[in-house]
């Protein structure tokens, strides 16, 4: 999810389970651990395709984070005073008289949970998270909540702000139980969201099957703000796509838009095959999880194949895309260049919000 929510999650974990033992610095340390996996965004400096490959990769791996937890815990232990007590509340557990090794283990325990809850929360979004890198580059995504979901994030934002403001005060059971409640709310919300997503996917699959579209994959993709409005994407074995909007609260028939692979021209089909078989083409299909929209256009110098990620875009215009790649071919069919394009959308907040509300309440954009 968004970085602010991940920071708040780390701080909330620290308040719920560790501040009464480690003192106020545990909240800051937990927040920092919540941020750490997202430092892989520096991979953008490696080129226009680097972030697509490496974001939510090795730094989001459960294996990697489990291995580095003792090192991160030791850094927290040293920062807190190396056995001298972490604050006013430290005496309750790993206080000044406790063995140094035991106090380091408590900091490691905090680091472990604050780090691993980051990719576990990301798992419930659509982007995809490589949970078992480097052993596997499979991108796991549960499609339960969007990257920004206020109902999921606001409780943790509130707890984190409250805890950081009162960081130097004595830890109290009320603040701790509020943090536990925020974590319980988030967990239940994610599970409910997952159930709603699966229900919409099942409904869409049945409708498409009745309409004669043999989908091999159907995904109900969450939209911004709160759960309930879904962007539905389906593909068949050939790669043809169907995109539509659905609501969890209005079980009406879904109106799908068709985006089929080019079939009318042998040249177009050949160029699409070349683009998809190229290194960048394979990478982009891996990134999109197969939800790749294809378009072929003529240019003065030959032809252009555009690939777009069908998972993300405007609700008001399902043909828009956040992630796009362009392949340029000459008249002889030789690949001349590949580049990643910027976001293809004319975003107007007021209009998008009104479309979202209609999708949320009725499952329609109009």
């Amino acid at each position: 999810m968004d970085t602010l929510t991940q920071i708040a999650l780390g701080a909330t974990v620290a308040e719920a389970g560790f501040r009464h033992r480690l003192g106020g610095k545990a909240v800051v340390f937990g927040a920092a651990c919540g941020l750490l996996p997202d430092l892989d965004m520096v991979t953008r400096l490696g080129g226009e395709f680097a972030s697509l490959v490496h974001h939510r990769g090795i730094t989001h791996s459960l294996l990697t984070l489990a291995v580095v937890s003792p090192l991160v815990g030791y850094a927290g232990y040293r920062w807190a005073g190396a056995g001298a007590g972490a604050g006013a509340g430290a005496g309750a557990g790993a206080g000044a008289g406790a063995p140094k090794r035991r106090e380091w283990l408590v900091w490691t325990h905090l680091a472990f949970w604050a780090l691993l809850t980051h990719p576990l929360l990301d798992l419930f979004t659509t982007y995809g998270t490589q949970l078992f890198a480097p052993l596997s580059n499979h991108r796991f995504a549960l499609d339960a909540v969007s990257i920004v979901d206020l109902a999921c994030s606001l409780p943790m934002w509130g707890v984190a702000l409250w805890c950081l403001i009162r960081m130097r005060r004595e830890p109290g059971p009320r603040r701790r139980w509020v943090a536990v409640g925020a974590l319980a709310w988030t967990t239940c919300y994610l599970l409910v969201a997952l159930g709603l997503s699966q229900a919409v996917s099942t409904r869409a699959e049945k409708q498409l099957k009745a309409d004669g579209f043999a989908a091999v994959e159907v995904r109900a993709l969450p939209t911004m703000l709160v759960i309930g409005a879904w962007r539905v994407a389906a593909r068949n074995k050939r790669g043809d796509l169907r995109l539509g909007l659905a609501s969890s609260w209005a079980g009406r028939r879904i109106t799908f838009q068709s985006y089929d692979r080019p079939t009318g021209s042998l040249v177009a089909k050949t160029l699409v095959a070349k683009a998809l078989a190229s290194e960048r083409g394979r990478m982009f299909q891996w990134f999109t999880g197969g939800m790749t929209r294809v378009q072929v256009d003529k240019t003065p110098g030959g032809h252009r194949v555009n690939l777009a990620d069908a998972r993300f875009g405007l609700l008001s215009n399902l043909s828009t895309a956040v992630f796009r790649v362009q392949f340029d071919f000459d008249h002889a069919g030789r690949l001349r260049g590949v580049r990643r394009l910027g976001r293809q959308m004319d975003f107007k907040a007021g209009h998008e919000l009104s479309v979202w509300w209609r999708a949320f309440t009725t499952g329609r954009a109009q």
Side-chain angles (χ1 to χ4, degrees):
M1 296 189 74
D2 65 280
T3 300
L4 287 179
T5 298
Q6 295 289 9
I7 292 173
L9 174 59
T12 303
V13 167
E15 181 66 38
F18 297 92
R19 184 180 176 185
H20 65 291
R21 290 184 283 177
L22 299 175
K25 285 188 175 181
V27 178
V28 178
F29 179 74
C33 289
L35 169 66
L36 279 177
D38 274 344
L39 294 182
D40 63 1
M41 290 304 294
V42 300
T43 57
R44 290 179 177 177
L45 301 177
E48 55 188 3
F49 289 93
S51 63
L52 297 184
V53 176
H54 299 296
H55 180 46
R56 294 200 189 177
I58 191 69
T59 64
H60 286 64
S61 166
L62 299 179
L63 305 175
T64 301
L65 296 177
V67 169
V68 303
S69 289
L71 298 177
V72 177
Y74 182 73
Y77 164 71
R78 296 292 299 179
W79 171 67
K100 292 184 177 181
R101 180 174 176 272
R102 182 178 177 184
E103 187 173 347
W104 165 57
L105 289 176
V106 177
W107 283 100
T108 297
H109 195 197
L110 168 55
F112 177 84
W113 288 111
L115 288 171
L116 263 72
T117 50
H118 182 124
L120 291 178
L121 181 56
D122 280 342
L123 170 65
F124 283 85
T125 66
T126 295
Y127 190 91
T129 307
Q130 299 177 55
L131 292 180
F132 300 111
L135 300 183
S136 169
N137 68 349
H138 181 76
R139 301 175 64 85
F140 294 89
L142 296 180
D143 298 332
V145 293
S146 70
I147 294 175
V148 178
D149 189 297
L150 297 182
C152 181
S153 300
L154 281 176
M156 292 188 291
W157 289 353
V159 169
L161 182 60
W162 185 24
C163 295
L164 290 172
I165 290 175
R166 294 177 171 264
M167 185 183 72
R168 297 185 180 276
R169 299 193 179 186
E170 289 284 343
R174 183 176 64 174
R175 197 159 56 242
R176 182 184 179 190
W177 283 111
V178 169
V180 171
L183 293 176
W185 162 262
T186 299
T187 302
C188 292
Y189 183 83
L190 292 172
L191 294 177
V192 169
L194 180 60
L196 292 176
S197 175
Q198 293 299 314
V200 172
S201 295
T202 300
R203 175 157 61 95
E205 185 175 6
K206 291 179 179 179
Q207 178 183 319
L208 288 168
K209 183 177 181 180
D211 292 343
F213 185 79
V216 296
E217 184 178 19
V218 181
R219 296 173 65 175
L221 309 167
T223 58
M224 297 291 184
L225 303 180
V226 296
I227 55 175
W230 308 90
R231 177 186 175 101
V232 182
R235 66 178 177 89
N236 62 11
K237 187 175 181 180
R238 205 175 68 87
D240 300 329
L241 298 179
R242 297 293 182 268
L243 301 179
L245 296 179
S247 168
S248 292
W249 325 121
R252 64 173 55 184
R253 180 178 175 82
I254 302 171
T255 301
F256 284 101
Q257 297 178 16
S258 301
Y259 298 92
D260 294 342
R261 293 283 173 92
T263 58
S265 166
L266 179 60
V267 173
K269 290 191 291 185
T270 301
L271 296 181
V272 168
K274 286 184 177 181
L276 295 176
S278 68
E279 179 183 1
R280 298 298 193 195
R282 293 194 305 271
M283 181 277 294
F284 193 71
Q285 290 183 93
W286 163 82
F287 173 74
T288 66
M291 293 295 181
T292 306
R293 183 164 53 85
V294 180
Q295 180 178 340
V296 180
D297 300 313
K298 288 186 177 181
T299 65
H303 288 82
R304 178 170 293 159
V305 177
N306 293 297
L307 305 184
D309 187 347
R311 299 174 301 166
F312 303 102
L314 297 178
L315 295 181
S316 58
N317 184 356
L318 296 178
S319 65
T320 58
V322 175
F323 303 100
R324 299 185 299 151
V325 177
Q326 176 181 288
F327 296 79
D328 285 312
F329 294 88
D330 62 17
H331 290 291
R334 292 185 293 263
L335 181 61
R336 291 304 190 187
V338 183
R339 66 189 183 102
R340 179 181 168 186
L341 303 177
R343 298 179 180 181
Q344 178 197 17
M345 55 183 63
D346 181 18
F347 180 78
K348 297 179 181 178
H351 179 58
E352 257 337 274
L353 185 60
S354 66
V355 173
W356 176 86
W357 177 249
R358 287 195 294 272
F360 182 82
T361 55
T362 69
R364 298 287 178 86
Q366 301 296 333

